[in-house]
Amino acid sequence: QVRLVESGGGLVQPGGSLRLSCAASGSIAIVGTMGWYRRTPGRERELVATITNGGNTGYAEPVKGRFTITRDNAKNTVYLQMNSVRPEDTAVYYCNADVRTTDRRRIPDAWGQGTLVTVSS
Protein backbone atom coordinates (compact mmCIF):
# COMPACT_ATOMS: atom_id res chain seq x y z
CA GLN A 1 0.00 0.00 0.00
CA VAL A 2 1.16 3.50 -0.85
CA ARG A 3 0.13 6.74 0.82
CA LEU A 4 0.69 10.32 -0.23
CA VAL A 5 0.21 12.91 2.50
CA GLU A 6 0.19 16.63 1.73
CA SER A 7 0.82 19.40 4.22
CA GLY A 8 1.45 23.12 4.29
CA GLY A 9 -1.84 24.52 3.06
CA GLY A 10 -3.57 27.41 4.72
CA LEU A 11 -4.52 31.05 4.40
CA VAL A 12 -2.07 33.44 2.76
CA GLN A 13 -2.38 37.04 1.65
CA PRO A 14 -2.07 38.05 -1.99
CA GLY A 15 1.58 38.50 -2.86
CA GLY A 16 2.65 36.17 -0.07
CA SER A 17 4.33 32.78 -0.08
CA LEU A 18 3.47 29.27 0.97
CA ARG A 19 5.28 25.95 0.78
CA LEU A 20 3.45 22.68 0.26
CA SER A 21 4.96 19.28 1.00
CA CYS A 22 3.92 15.79 0.00
CA ALA A 23 5.51 12.66 1.39
CA ALA A 24 5.03 9.24 -0.17
CA SER A 25 5.22 6.24 2.12
CA GLY A 26 4.50 2.53 2.12
CA SER A 27 5.83 -0.37 0.09
CA ILE A 28 7.78 1.81 -2.32
CA ALA A 29 10.58 0.61 -4.53
CA ILE A 30 10.89 3.75 -6.61
CA VAL A 31 8.94 6.96 -7.16
CA GLY A 32 8.93 8.28 -10.70
CA THR A 33 7.39 11.52 -11.80
CA MET A 34 5.67 13.50 -9.05
CA GLY A 35 3.36 16.41 -9.52
CA TRP A 36 0.98 18.93 -8.06
CA TYR A 37 -2.54 19.50 -9.31
CA ARG A 38 -5.27 21.78 -8.08
CA ARG A 39 -9.03 22.01 -8.23
CA THR A 40 -11.42 24.85 -7.60
CA PRO A 41 -15.19 24.44 -7.24
CA GLY A 42 -16.88 23.96 -10.58
CA ARG A 43 -13.66 23.32 -12.44
CA GLU A 44 -11.72 20.26 -13.50
CA ARG A 45 -8.57 19.35 -11.67
CA GLU A 46 -5.66 21.02 -13.46
CA LEU A 47 -1.97 20.40 -13.60
CA VAL A 48 0.23 22.82 -11.71
CA ALA A 49 3.73 21.38 -11.96
CA THR A 50 5.61 18.11 -12.41
CA ILE A 51 9.08 16.86 -11.66
CA THR A 52 10.80 13.66 -12.77
CA ASN A 53 13.06 11.70 -10.46
CA GLY A 54 15.91 13.13 -12.50
CA GLY A 55 14.83 16.65 -11.64
CA ASN A 56 13.27 17.77 -14.91
CA THR A 57 10.39 20.13 -14.26
CA GLY A 58 7.34 21.42 -16.07
CA TYR A 59 4.87 24.13 -15.13
CA ALA A 60 1.44 25.29 -16.14
CA GLU A 61 1.46 28.75 -17.71
CA PRO A 62 -0.45 30.48 -14.89
CA VAL A 63 2.22 29.58 -12.32
CA LYS A 64 5.42 29.88 -14.36
CA GLY A 65 7.89 32.18 -12.69
CA ARG A 66 5.97 32.13 -9.40
CA PHE A 67 5.88 28.49 -8.28
CA THR A 68 8.83 26.11 -7.95
CA ILE A 69 8.59 22.34 -7.66
CA THR A 70 11.43 20.39 -6.06
CA ARG A 71 11.86 16.94 -4.59
CA ASP A 72 13.98 14.98 -2.16
CA ASN A 73 14.34 11.48 -3.58
CA ALA A 74 15.82 10.12 -0.37
CA LYS A 75 12.63 11.12 1.46
CA ASN A 76 10.20 10.40 -1.40
CA THR A 77 8.94 13.93 -0.87
CA VAL A 78 7.93 16.64 -3.31
CA TYR A 79 7.56 20.33 -2.52
CA LEU A 80 5.79 23.25 -4.11
CA GLN A 81 7.10 26.69 -3.26
CA MET A 82 4.39 29.19 -4.06
CA ASN A 83 5.48 32.82 -4.32
CA SER A 84 3.58 35.94 -5.35
CA VAL A 85 0.33 34.11 -4.85
CA ARG A 86 -2.91 35.47 -6.28
CA PRO A 87 -6.54 35.00 -5.30
CA GLU A 88 -6.98 32.79 -8.36
CA ASP A 89 -4.46 30.36 -6.87
CA THR A 90 -7.07 29.48 -4.25
CA ALA A 91 -7.76 25.76 -4.62
CA VAL A 92 -7.34 22.35 -3.12
CA TYR A 93 -3.88 21.18 -4.08
CA TYR A 94 -3.28 17.49 -4.70
CA CYS A 95 -0.06 15.55 -4.87
CA ASN A 96 0.36 12.87 -7.52
CA ALA A 97 3.04 10.25 -8.04
CA ASP A 98 3.97 7.39 -10.33
CA VAL A 99 5.04 4.63 -7.95
CA ARG A 100 6.57 1.19 -8.32
CA THR A 101 6.03 -0.98 -5.26
CA THR A 102 8.32 -3.51 -3.70
CA ASP A 103 6.14 -6.34 -5.03
CA ARG A 104 6.69 -5.04 -8.57
CA ARG A 105 3.32 -3.40 -9.08
CA ARG A 106 3.05 -0.03 -10.74
CA ILE A 107 0.66 2.61 -9.43
CA PRO A 108 0.80 5.29 -12.14
CA ASP A 109 -1.58 7.68 -10.39
CA ALA A 110 -1.26 7.66 -6.64
CA TRP A 111 -3.05 10.66 -5.11
CA GLY A 112 -2.97 12.45 -1.82
CA GLN A 113 -6.06 13.68 -0.01
CA GLY A 114 -5.46 17.32 -0.88
CA THR A 115 -4.60 20.43 1.07
CA LEU A 116 -6.55 23.69 0.86
CA VAL A 117 -4.79 26.90 -0.09
CA THR A 118 -6.75 30.10 0.33
CA VAL A 119 -5.35 33.37 -0.98
CA SER A 120 -7.23 36.27 0.54
CA SER A 121 -6.67 39.52 2.36
Side-chain angles (χ1 to χ4, degrees):
Q1 186 176 356
V2 173
R3 287 186 71 202
L4 299 181
V5 179
E6 301 101 335
S7 61
L11 175 65
V12 59
Q13 293 187 342
S17 296
L18 204 62
R19 190 192 196 208
L20 306 183
S21 300
C22 171
S25 63
S27 303
I28 296 172
I30 190 167
V31 181
T33 297
M34 303 184 81
W36 288 96
Y37 292 71
R38 65 187 182 186
R39 180 159 58 194
T40 55
R43 296 185 64 178
E44 297 287 327
R45 184 159 51 191
E46 62 178 5
L47 174 68
V48 175
T50 60
I51 184 167
T52 68
N53 56 8
N56 293 317
T57 59
Y59 296 92
E61 283 297 328
V63 307
K64 278 184 179 178
R66 300 187 297 121
F67 291 7
T68 302
I69 187 170
T70 57
R71 66 189 286 169
D72 183 334
N73 289 335
K75 296 181 179 179
N76 290 329
T77 299
V78 63
Y79 306 95
L80 185 69
Q81 179 66 43
M82 306 169 62
N83 297 332
S84 302
V85 295
R86 305 165 180 168
E88 54 263 39
D89 294 321
T90 296
V92 178
Y93 284 73
Y94 297 88
C95 174
N96 173 271
D98 180 358
V99 178
R100 288 197 181 272
T101 64
T102 52
D103 59 356
R104 301 184 180 183
R105 291 182 299 119
R106 183 183 177 197
I107 305 173
D109 280 307
W111 291 96
Q113 81 288 350
T115 185
L116 176 63
V117 172
T118 302
V119 182
S120 176
S121 55

